[in-house]
Structures are given as C-alpha cells and as structure tokens.
Amino acid sequence: MGNDRQSRQSNTMEHTSYLFREYIMVNQTRQDTTADAKGQTLIIFALMLSVLMLCVGLVTDVGMAVVADQRTQNASDAAALAASDVLLGGGSVDDAEEAAFAIAAENGYVDGDEGITVTVNIPPESGPFAGQSNHAEVVITDQSHNYFFSIIGNTFIDVHSRAVSRTELGGGNYGIIALNPHDCRSFEIDGTAQIHISGGGIFVNSDCPTDAMYGEGVVTVDTAVNTVVGGWDTSGSANFSPTPTGGSQITDPLANLPVPTPPTNVQTCPDFSGSPGTTTLLPGRYNCAINPSGPWNVVFQPGDYHITGGVVADGGGNITFNAGVYTLGGVGITVTGSGRITVNNAMLYIESGEVELTGNGITSITAPETGVYAGIAIFQNRSSTTQVDMNGTALAGGWGTVYAAGAKVSIVGTSASSNMQFISDTFIMSGIPDLDLIFDSDITVGQQSPKLVE
C-alpha cells in the first residue's frame, strides 16, 4: 500500500510538471504572437500615415494649382476685355495689346517674370475665332509651386489660361435717354421728384467723369436699369435704384428718322373773332397760327398739316389733332392756362418755335401706331436747342416718344406722364413731379460692349 501511495504521488508530480511545462509553452507562444501583432500594427500604421500624408500633399498642391488656374483665368479674361474696350473706342491694335499687358500686370502676371508668359493676339491665332477682326486673344501661363510633391522632385504644376473677347451690339430698353456726349449733369433730378419706369430704364450718354447723372434732394429713381457712360453723384437723400452701371457711348437711335414733307395745298385760315364754338379744319397748309381766343373747340380732320404759325391753346377750349403728321412752325406748340390738346394717333413735328406744355388743362398725346412715325409723339427739329417745357398736367395720359435730339427736356411742377419714352440732348426734372412711365417701344438703344466669347 505504501508503494501504491508513492507511485500515485510520483504520477501526480509528473503530471503537475507536465502541466507547468505546457503552461510555459503556451504563454511563450502568446507572447510571441502578441509581439508579432504589435509589429504588424506598427507597420500598417506607418503605411497608413504615409498614404494620409500623400493624400494631404495631393489635396494641398492640387488645390493650390486650382486657385492659381482661376487667378490666371480671371487675369486673362480681364486683359482680353481691356483690349476689346480699346478697340471699341477706336484705338489701334498696338494700344489694345498694351492695355491687355497692363491689366495682366495689374493682376500679377508680367510677361517673362519668374516663368510667366503673357501672349496677346489680335486677331486670335487659335480657336473658332482665329483670324477674325475685332477679337482679342490673351493666353497666360504660370507655375504653381508644390510643397509636398517637391520632396520627390516635382517642384511645379503648370497652369494655363486663355480668353477671347469681342465687341457686340446689344439692345437696351430705356424710357429716358440723354444723348449729350460730354455735359456734366446731362441727366438731373432734384426737389422731391420721382421717376418710375416699368420695363425700362435711364441711359446717360455723357462721359463727364463726376456727375453725368445727378440727383439732389428727396428724389427717387426706380427703374429696371440705369446706365451712365461717365460718373454719377447724389446729394441729400436722393436714391437711384438700381445703382447706375457703366456703358459705352451711343449714337442717336433716331438719327435716321426722316423730317416730314409738309403738304403744300393752301387752306383758308379759321376766324376766331366770333363767339366760341366748334370749327373743323381740313388737311393742308395754313399760313397762320391756330390760336383760338376763348374756349373754342378746334378739330383737325385726319391727314397731314403744315401750320406755319404754330398752334396755341390757352383759352380753355380743346384742340384735337386727329391721325396724321403735323408740321408746326412759328411758335411751335404752346398749351398754357386752361388750354387743352388731344392728339389721337398723330405726330407733331416742331419745325420752329418750342414745345411748351405748361397749362392746367388735360393734355393727352397718342402717337401713330403704324407708318414711318409709329411711336413718335413729338419730334422737335434736331437743330433746335429750344428747351422742351412740360409741367402742370401736361402729358397726363397718352403714349409715344418725345424726341428732341438738340434740346433739353424739362419737367417741373406737378407733372405726371405715362408717355413711355423721352429722347433728348439733356434731361432735367425738378419740383414735385411724378413721372410714371411704362416702356412700350420698338426704339431701343444699340450699344456696343466688350464680351467674352471664349
């Protein structure tokens, strides 16, 4: 029995020793495995960090290249437009190229400086507009500096931009056009006057750099567009909405409108010495003034007329011009006091004298809808510098263009008008008039301006 006990003890010790050796081996294996895993993790981390830094470098350098490319494109666009602007103004090709190089330099791109090249081609040498006059091509190349990629020898990324511009003729809708090319305050509004133009705006052709367009006082200009070639200025609480933008000078859009040929068949002048009543006149030439004394009603039958002495309405009656063309000499057209005129689809050509619509009566003028003078309500002799005066309730209703290329249009008092367009040398509003225009005309402003086409 003692031997059996000793045998069992010996077996137990051997088993325990075996288990201890197995534990040591397993534990050693685990340690070796853990060490291998840690080593692999470190390698993977290093690889991922390298990839991450590569991505950061790629994003940074490419992003800087994109910014540099946009800068060169903006510079080439501006330089091409500058060249076209010089050509538009009648400058030479050399002047246009010089302007393009100057604008490129202002934007930081000087030809030959630190790897930069600026090329100006007039006309373009490539693309769909190659060889076409009135086109300007600008090409700018530069190098974007790399920071991360420079460690592998790639120091720069080349950037390249190209722009082509030309002058284009566009049309604009303007309810008021001041044609004078140089006068300051060619357009002026002061007092508490207001101008509202629906579907159109104001065009000021003057290149006066300070105040070609001027507003003073508690005035409001609310239009679809305000364009001025020169500068603009306001004082007080004057407000131009929208803010005026620049434009290029235009020629008179009605320069080719012919002067009417008046009739020569002589008619007997009316007698207004008796009691006021109604008198009807037939088309033809009247070698006198139509100037009724008292509240006469004068009706012109449809047709063409030449009134050598002009027409005066001041006695409280009404003078009705029916469809036709009326050439008015002498005093032109004068409406004062309680005089009234009504123009039905007719055009008044002011051969001499003036346009004075300053009465308190209702004046309504509607232009012809067809024919050579479609849309023209009043046409003042282009050589006349006599001011066109409108106030009171003049032009309170009606439709048509008031055209006085050589004179100033002046609207004062409490005038209100729905006539859609005024085309004159200069234009002024003062007092408390409210000019409410709805643009409804085929007479638009053709204005050339530089445009990018590539």
Side-chain angles (χ1 to χ4, degrees):
M1 180 177 296
N3 290 333
D4 292 338
R5 183 183 297 114
Q6 290 178 353
S7 178
R8 285 195 300 272
Q9 289 177 346
S10 176
N11 292 335
T12 299
M13 291 179 62
E14 289 178 1
H15 182 69
T16 301
S17 175
Y18 170 78
L19 292 177
F20 179 75
R21 288 195 304 271
E22 288 292 318
Y23 169 78
I24 293 298
M25 292 176 64
V26 170
N27 189 58
Q28 182 64 42
T29 301
R30 288 177 177 174
Q31 290 179 352
D32 293 343
T33 302
T34 301
D36 291 342
K38 289 181 177 180
Q40 293 174 0
T41 301
L42 183 60
I43 293 173
I44 293 172
F45 176 76
L47 291 173
M48 292 181 65
L49 182 60
S50 299
V51 172
L52 179 62
M53 293 184 66
L54 182 64
C55 290
V56 170
L58 178 64
V59 170
T60 301
D61 286 344
V62 171
M64 293 181 65
V66 170
V67 172
D69 183 72
Q70 186 61 55
R71 287 184 63 244
T72 60
Q73 188 63 60
N74 291 341
S76 59
D77 289 349
L81 289 171
S84 287
D85 193 52
V86 171
L87 295 174
L88 177 62
S92 66
V93 169
D94 288 342
D95 291 338
E97 290 178 349
E98 183 178 345
F101 281 116
I103 291 298
E106 286 181 11
N107 283 276
Y109 298 95
V110 178
D111 185 44
D113 186 13
E114 297 183 356
I116 296 171
T117 62
V118 179
T119 305
V120 181
N121 300 315
I122 303 175
E125 293 184 354
S126 62
F129 301 101
Q132 294 190 22
S133 61
N134 295 324
H135 287 69
E137 177 186 47
V138 176
V139 180
I140 297 178
T141 60
D142 192 12
Q143 293 179 325
S144 175
H145 291 268
N146 289 332
Y147 291 91
F148 285 86
F149 283 179
S150 62
I151 62 177
I152 60 173
N154 191 356
T155 309
F156 301 101
I157 295 178
D158 291 331
V159 292
H160 172 93
S161 67
R162 176 177 175 274
V164 177
S165 66
R166 70 181 177 198
T167 56
E168 290 187 349
L169 183 65
N173 297 336
Y174 295 98
I176 298 173
I177 301 172
L179 293 170
N180 190 286
H182 305 302
D183 281 2
C184 294
R185 302 194 182 186
S186 179
F187 171 92
E188 181 176 357
I189 179 171
D190 58 50
T192 58
Q194 298 186 53
I195 296 177
H196 303 274
I197 304 178
S198 299
I202 297 171
F203 187 93
V204 182
N205 201 40
S206 170
D207 59 6
C208 171
T210 54
D211 54 358
M213 185 175 187
Y214 180 73
E216 179 179 8
V218 188
V219 301
T220 299
V221 173
D222 180 18
T223 69
V225 60
N226 295 309
T227 304
V228 57
V229 174
W232 63 279
D233 192 18
T234 61
S235 64
S237 58
N239 179 57
F240 292 152
S241 177
T243 300
T245 56
S248 57
Q249 287 193 323
I250 63 169
T251 58
D252 181 355
L254 293 176
N256 295 323
L257 185 69
V259 172
T261 301
T264 57
N265 57 308
V266 178
Q267 300 283 10
T268 301
C269 291
D271 180 8
F272 296 111
S273 61
S275 299
T278 297
T279 187
T280 300
L281 302 180
L282 299 175
R285 176 187 176 98
Y286 290 81
N287 293 317
C288 57
I290 304 300
N291 184 6
S293 57
W296 283 83
N297 292 318
V298 178
V299 178
F300 290 95
Q301 289 295 312
D304 293 345
Y305 290 78
H306 187 189
I307 314 298
T308 61
V311 174
V312 177
D314 62 2
N318 186 72
I319 299 177
T320 301
F321 299 83
N322 284 307
V325 175
Y326 295 77
T327 299
L328 306 180
V331 298
I333 179 74
T334 299
V335 181
T336 61
S338 57
R340 302 189 306 276
I341 65 170
T342 302
V343 181
N344 298 321
N345 303 113
M347 194 275 285
L348 307 182
Y349 175 69
I350 312 305
E351 182 181 50
S352 62
E354 63 181 335
V355 177
E356 182 182 3
L357 306 177
T358 60
N360 297 318
I362 300 297
T363 298
S364 176
I365 298 180
T366 303
E369 296 183 3
T370 59
V372 174
Y373 301 105
I376 308 298
I378 296 175
F379 177 3
Q380 180 164 288
N381 190 331
R382 293 186 182 91
S383 64
S384 174
T385 59
T386 303
Q387 180 170 294
V388 174
D389 287 315
M390 301 179 182
N391 70 358
T393 53
L395 298 181
W399 171 84
T401 295
V402 176
Y403 174 47
K408 173 183 289 184
V409 167
S410 174
I411 299 180
V412 297
T414 57
S415 180
S417 173
S418 61
N419 270 50
M420 59 38 175
Q421 195 170 48
F422 293 88
I423 302 176
S424 59
D425 181 61
T426 57
F427 183 94
I428 185 171
M429 278 185 65
S430 59
I432 56 173
D434 185 357
L435 189 61
D436 192 0
L437 307 182
I438 300 174
F439 186 87
D440 184 18
S441 173
D442 292 329
I443 304 168
T444 59
V445 169
Q447 185 183 17
Q448 286 187 319
S449 60
K451 301 288 185 183
L452 290 171
V453 293
E454 284 192 72

